[in-house]
Amino acid sequence: MTNLAALSIPDLQQYAQGAVAAPFGLVLDDGSVLQSLEVVRRVPGKRLVCRGLLNGQAIYAKLFIGGQAGKYAARDKRGARWLAQARLATPTLLLESGVASQGCEALLYGAIPARNAEQVWQDLDEEGRHALALRLVEEVARHHRAGLLQTDLYLKNFLVDAQAVYTLDGDGIRQLRVFGRQRQQWDNLARLISKFDVDAVAAWLPSLLRQYVAVIGGTASDIDIMQQLIARHWQRDMRQYASKVQRSCTDVAVEEKPWHYLAINRAQDSPGVRQALATPDGLLDATSAVRLKSGNTCTVAAVEIDQRKMVIKRYNIKNFWHGLGRAWRPSRAVVSWSNAFRLQLKGIATPAAVAVLERRWLGLRREAYLLTEFMIARDAAEFYADLTIDREVKERVAQRIARLFFQLFCLQLEHGDFKATNILIRDQYPLLIDLDSMRQHACKKRFERRHARDLQRFFKNWQGDAATSQLLAAAFRAVYADGRVLDQAGIVFNQSEKDE
């Protein structure tokens, strides 16, 4: 028999803040008993989404807490009702109740045996992803045809099975405005497309727009206009996320005090990591640490924490005047931290950022430390200098490096230091490191000049190796649909050399 008293104990605020993670039970005000609740998503201090059981039935419980719980619960319920009325696939709202003693409003939805679109996406090849993109565009077109708008267009907010695409998160559902409706639809469609693979969007865009028009009718947006709208969403999403991970959020836990600033990736958090960062210099100087770099500006070592290999990088203060100049600005460690998440958001491979620590004195910044995962890989210079590697493999890797550059080009991200040592090759895939000089540009014309400079610096690594330089040039020419920026960088591919 269920012990109701035991089930009513959990402090939902603690679960929302991530302080507790164990499965729990809950008794709602109407007497319903929720069992085996596991948190699948949390918005600190505001919301919990849990999967669990209600009378043996699999459900998802949305638990709204905080001062505006009633407002957000009402909005979520309203959106779910609009979707159902429009005959759009969405989970069924089974029950609404709450826990008044904790200021909680609860909405219980029937569980659907399907994975979210982001999970499905990860398991597909390029052709499969294109097919899924078409299905998602078709579903959003149905939203628009019904006069609805999903304002929170993340792939996680769709469930996908063989028969249907289900829309989640009624909180994000709005009704289209009467005036400026078409522009609103196009911008919403652009927001969805901005969630697809950056380097595939240009090739897919004509077919995606045809699919949209086939459902909604009318005329498609001009491709150039749509590309501008997509780029605008890329820019905004990256700026917002880079700012978000500098404060406590779903992905990051932040502790800010007069003497330090500490941010930890929740997925990488552990008592061992926190203990190691209490004395980061001791971690760097430990006999077990493998020193990778010692210099005036930074010190880098490979270390082991919780039986996991990691890399710690200390950004040094060279002298009084250098320290004075750095005291007022975000440290290079925090810049690298934000840029790692920026790249992660857009699917560009880089070692996971584990934690960042800034030492402070009365709020003024001093030394800073960045902790990242350790990658067993060799840099691009070593990879292409290895004569035992087949040319076919080198060409495949060159294509992937070119695609990485093209992604940066589409996103208007300047790396700023493209030494060959800053691209690691792991399992034939490139990873980008050393992100403290990376900048996101708003002005496209200015960025193109900076991207050309990134390209020039990268190709400078093979000035004395014509064969590798031509192999890379061929890959870049194949990937970049518009070769203007390659021309600007002076990257020339000699077809006759390849033919020989």
Side-chain angles (χ1 to χ4, degrees):
M1 184 172 178
T2 303
N3 186 338
L4 300 186
L7 288 176
S8 62
I9 291 172
D11 183 339
L12 298 178
Q13 278 289 356
Q14 286 192 335
Y15 275 90
Q17 297 295 345
V20 185
F24 64 102
L26 197 64
V27 178
L28 302 180
D29 291 343
D30 70 343
S32 299
V33 180
L34 306 184
Q35 296 176 305
S36 305
L37 291 175
E38 296 181 32
V39 177
V40 295
R41 188 184 175 199
R42 58 170 59 87
V43 179
K46 295 181 180 180
R47 186 169 68 210
L48 284 167
V49 181
C50 309
R51 61 170 165 253
L53 298 172
L54 172 67
N55 300 325
Q57 179 181 354
I59 55 95
Y60 276 84
K62 287 191 175 183
L63 307 175
F64 300 87
I65 55 181
Q68 295 187 305
K71 169 188 170 183
Y72 290 118
R75 209 160 66 182
D76 197 283
K77 183 174 66 173
R78 182 189 66 186
R81 185 179 73 247
W82 283 343
L83 289 168
Q85 288 173 346
R87 299 181 181 276
L88 294 167
T90 190
T92 303
L93 178 59
L94 302 174
L95 178 69
E96 53 180 300
S97 185
V99 184
S101 63
Q102 298 199 42
C104 166
E105 300 283 341
L107 299 178
L108 275 56
Y109 291 91
I112 294 173
R115 294 191 299 163
N116 71 53
E118 184 174 284
Q119 295 168 328
V120 175
W121 189 273
Q122 298 303 324
D123 293 339
L124 296 174
D125 59 16
E126 188 166 350
E127 184 179 351
R129 290 183 176 187
H130 183 211
L132 178 55
L134 288 168
R135 290 185 69 189
L136 292 169
V137 165
E138 182 178 345
E139 190 61 26
V140 165
R142 291 195 185 102
H143 288 186
H144 295 172
R145 191 174 62 189
L148 299 177
L149 203 69
Q150 168 59 281
T151 60
D152 199 17
L153 276 173
Y154 290 92
L155 299 190
K156 288 180 181 179
N157 282 336
F158 296 96
L159 295 179
V160 178
D161 64 19
Q163 286 73 44
V165 174
Y166 299 84
T167 301
L168 305 179
D169 195 15
D171 180 53
I173 301 297
R174 302 287 186 274
Q175 290 182 324
L176 282 161
R177 297 189 300 265
V178 175
F179 298 104
R181 178 169 176 147
Q182 189 175 62
R183 178 72 179 191
Q184 195 180 10
Q185 292 173 184
W186 288 351
D187 187 69
N188 191 241
L189 176 62
R191 181 158 187 77
L192 172 69
I193 296 173
S194 73
K195 305 302 180 184
F196 302 155
D197 295 340
V198 171
D199 55 334
V201 164
W204 292 355
L205 196 51
S207 62
L208 297 179
L209 292 180
R210 285 194 299 270
Q211 184 79 350
Y212 180 78
V213 171
V215 175
I216 200 168
T219 58
S221 168
D222 179 88
I223 285 182
D224 290 338
I225 293 175
M226 185 58 70
Q227 286 177 327
Q228 292 171 17
L229 292 172
I230 293 166
R232 189 178 302 163
H233 284 295
W234 282 336
Q235 291 278 307
R236 185 175 64 187
D237 287 349
M238 289 189 299
R239 277 195 302 270
Q240 289 178 344
Y241 195 50
S243 175
K244 180 180 178 181
V245 296
Q246 294 182 45
R247 60 182 187 273
S248 288
C249 61
T250 304
D251 297 328
V252 174
V254 169
E255 180 182 289
E256 194 162 7
K257 297 183 178 179
W259 55 88
H260 78 223
Y261 166 89
L262 173 65
I264 299 182
N265 186 332
R266 291 188 191 272
Q268 306 277 345
D269 198 357
S270 72
V273 168
R274 290 179 178 267
Q275 184 179 355
L277 289 173
T279 54
D281 291 325
L283 189 64
L284 268 168
D285 298 330
T287 54
S288 59
V290 178
R291 187 61 60 90
L292 303 177
K293 181 179 180 181
S294 298
N296 288 332
T297 57
C298 64
T299 305
V300 186
V303 298
E304 188 169 298
I305 302 173
D306 292 338
Q307 299 181 325
R308 291 186 296 160
K309 290 198 75 173
M310 299 186 189
V311 174
I312 185 168
K313 185 173 186 178
R314 180 180 66 203
Y315 292 86
N316 302 321
I317 300 298
K318 293 185 289 187
N319 53 49
F320 172 79
W321 297 110
H322 181 238
L324 186 63
R326 297 296 327 176
W328 312 97
R329 296 177 288 160
S331 66
R332 291 167 65 199
V334 167
V335 171
S336 291
W337 166 266
S338 297
N339 281 330
F341 281 94
R342 206 186 303 254
L343 294 182
Q344 174 190 307
L345 179 69
K346 292 304 172 187
I348 299 175
T350 189
V354 177
V356 64
L357 171 69
E358 284 182 343
R359 282 182 171 165
R360 295 182 178 180
W361 181 75
L362 298 179
L364 300 178
R365 296 170 178 86
R366 297 170 58 203
E367 297 88 2
Y369 305 80
L370 179 69
L371 190 64
T372 64
E373 67 175 330
F374 179 86
M375 309 299 286
I376 299 175
R378 26 185 200 171
D379 64 54
E382 292 175 348
F383 176 83
Y384 280 104
D386 189 340
L387 300 179
T388 66
I389 299 175
D390 292 342
R391 180 179 176 87
E392 182 182 339
V393 173
K394 290 185 176 181
E395 287 178 344
R396 186 182 308 129
V397 171
Q399 286 280 331
R400 290 167 178 165
I401 291 174
R403 291 187 72 166
L404 183 151
F405 269 82
F406 186 63
Q407 287 174 303
L408 297 178
F409 176 69
C410 293
L411 297 169
Q412 294 182 200
L413 291 174
E414 174 194 0
H415 183 271
D417 188 15
F418 258 122
K419 298 190 292 281
T421 51
N422 285 335
I423 293 184
L424 302 182
I425 309 300
R426 186 188 192 204
D427 298 330
Q428 300 183 23
Y429 283 89
L431 298 94
L432 197 54
I433 64 170
D434 204 4
L435 309 178
D436 50 51
S437 297
M438 179 174 281
R439 293 178 57 197
Q440 178 179 333
H441 289 267
C443 174
K444 186 175 181 180
K445 188 172 182 180
R446 173 177 168 78
F447 165 72
E448 287 185 357
R449 292 197 297 269
R450 306 297 289 189
H451 188 68
R453 196 170 80 165
D454 267 352
L455 289 165
Q456 288 170 340
R457 178 63 187 92
F458 177 69
F459 274 83
K460 187 178 178 181
N461 293 293
W462 289 279
Q463 274 185 333
D465 183 353
T468 299
S469 182
Q470 282 295 291
L471 183 149
L472 289 165
F476 276 73
R477 286 287 173 182
V479 168
Y480 281 65
D482 183 349
R484 288 181 302 110
V485 72
L486 300 180
D487 295 337
Q488 189 175 348
I491 296 171
V492 177
F493 169 53
N494 190 334
Q495 181 69 39
S496 60
E497 287 189 18
K498 181 182 178 182
D499 294 339
E500 289 173 7

